[in-house]
Amino acid sequence: MGNIFSKKKRSPTRVTEQDRAVLQLKQQRDKLKQYQRRVTLQLDKERLLAKQLLKDGKKEKALLLLKKKRYQDQLLDKTEKQISNLERMVQDLEFAQIEMKVIEGLKIGNDCLKKMHEVMSIEEVERIMDETQDAIEYQQQIDELLAGSLSQEDEDAVLAELELITQGDVVLPEVPEDSLPEVPEAAEKEPERERPRKKPERELLAA
């Protein structure tokens, strides 16, 4: 009973080196994006702080803060380029994996085709086609002989039989099994009565 409810163990997933490389590239990309968001928030705060320093008349500190901001802007530009490079590399690797699967499928298909060609060579196909053509021609000769050996009467009889078969079996009436009644002897000996003769037409006209 325990085996019925036990979960079926899944086969371990095969992780290739390409999968690991894609994973690492995505992790690096995500870290750069986190750094980019953090620096962007910091720059917004420093911009507001520089405005406040200018209002307070602290121009030197505001200038120093803006120089720092400029440097961080340049770092953000480099970070954006690195993120773009990583994303492009991830896409290239993923597409390469798809191409590898396609190539593997083509290889399997080619192997199957080779095995089928070994079983059925061109010579074998030509031999089968020749035998098939010979059989067709032989059957045509038989049909021509049969068609020429039958007369028109035979042809009509064949067509009539075919029509009879297609219509189904004809049901004949049942013949009674009882014997016929016996004729009396007096009736057998009684001579046939003479039938009155008709007068000729001339006598009728004369009368």
Side-chain angles (χ1 to χ4, degrees), residues 131-200:
E131 291 179 356
T132 304
Q133 185 64 30
D134 293 340
I136 293 173
E137 293 177 356
Y138 182 73
Q139 184 62 38
Q140 290 177 349
Q141 292 177 1
I142 293 175
D143 295 339
E144 291 175 358
L145 290 174
L146 290 175
S149 62
L150 296 178
S151 63
Q152 185 62 39
E153 184 179 357
D154 294 332
E155 293 286 350
D156 295 339
V158 171
L159 293 176
E161 184 178 0
L162 177 62
E163 185 178 0
L164 182 62
I165 293 173
T166 55
Q167 291 178 354
D169 298 335
V170 179
V171 181
L172 299 176
E174 296 182 359
V175 180
E177 297 179 356
D178 300 335
S179 59
L180 298 174
E182 297 181 357
V183 181
E185 295 180 0
E188 293 179 355
K189 295 179 180 181
E190 183 179 357
E192 295 182 357
R193 296 179 180 179
E194 294 182 359
R195 297 179 180 177
R197 297 180 179 178
K198 294 183 180 180
K199 294 180 180 183

Side-chain angles (χ1 to χ4, degrees), residues 40-69 72:
T40 301
L41 292 174
Q42 184 66 28
L43 290 176
D44 293 337
K45 293 179 180 179
E46 290 179 354
R47 187 181 296 108
L48 294 175
L49 181 58
K51 289 181 179 181
Q52 185 64 37
L53 290 172
L54 287 173
K55 288 181 181 181
D56 296 340
K58 299 178 181 180
K59 185 177 179 181
E60 294 295 331
K61 290 184 177 180
L63 185 60
L64 182 61
L65 192 60
L66 291 175
K67 289 181 179 179
K68 179 182 177 183
K69 176 181 174 299
Q72 290 178 338

Side-chain angles (χ1 to χ4, degrees), residues 27-170:
Q27 289 175 348
Q28 293 175 4
R29 178 201 61 189
D30 294 338
K31 289 180 179 180
L32 287 175
K33 286 184 177 181
Q34 291 176 0
Y35 170 78
Q36 189 181 38
R37 287 193 296 267
R38 186 171 66 251
V39 172
T40 301
L41 292 174
Q42 184 66 28
L43 290 176
D44 293 337
K45 293 179 180 179
E46 290 179 354
R47 187 181 296 108
L48 294 175
L49 181 58
K51 289 181 179 181
Q52 185 64 37
L53 290 172
L54 287 173
K55 288 181 181 181
D56 296 340
K58 299 178 181 180
K59 185 177 179 181
E60 294 295 331
K61 290 184 177 180
L63 185 60
L64 182 61
L65 192 60
L66 291 175
K67 289 181 179 179
K68 179 182 177 183
K69 176 181 174 299
R70 180 62 180 174
Y71 175 74
Q72 290 178 338
D73 285 335
Q74 294 176 356
L75 290 179
L76 281 179
D77 292 338
K78 292 181 180 179
T79 304
E80 184 65 29
K81 291 180 181 179
Q82 291 177 356
I83 291 174
S84 299
N85 292 333
L86 289 173
E87 289 179 345
R88 184 169 58 252
M89 191 173 293
V90 168
Q91 292 175 357
D92 292 341
L93 282 173
E94 289 177 344
F95 187 73
Q97 287 179 317
I98 295 174
E99 287 182 334
M100 287 180 61
K101 291 180 180 179
V102 172
I103 293 172
E104 289 177 359
L106 291 174
K107 183 179 179 182
I108 294 172
N110 289 331
D111 292 339
C112 293
L113 286 175
K114 287 180 181 178
K115 292 179 181 178
M116 292 176 66
H117 292 161
E118 291 175 358
V119 175
M120 188 66 67
S121 61
I122 296 177
E123 292 79 8
E124 184 71 13
V125 174
E126 290 179 349
R127 184 184 65 79
I128 293 174
M129 295 299 294
D130 293 339
E131 291 179 356
T132 304
Q133 185 64 30
D134 293 340
I136 293 173
E137 293 177 356
Y138 182 73
Q139 184 62 38
Q140 290 177 349
Q141 292 177 1
I142 293 175
D143 295 339
E144 291 175 358
L145 290 174
L146 290 175
S149 62
L150 296 178
S151 63
Q152 185 62 39
E153 184 179 357
D154 294 332
E155 293 286 350
D156 295 339
V158 171
L159 293 176
E161 184 178 0
L162 177 62
E163 185 178 0
L164 182 62
I165 293 173
T166 55
Q167 291 178 354
D169 298 335
V170 179

Side-chain angles (χ1 to χ4, degrees), residues 2-23:
N3 293 331
I4 298 176
F5 298 100
S6 61
K7 294 182 179 179
K8 186 178 180 180
K9 294 183 179 179
R10 296 181 179 178
S11 57
T13 305
R14 181 183 176 184
V15 180
T16 61
E17 294 181 358
Q18 290 80 9
D19 294 332
R20 295 190 182 93
V22 170
L23 180 60

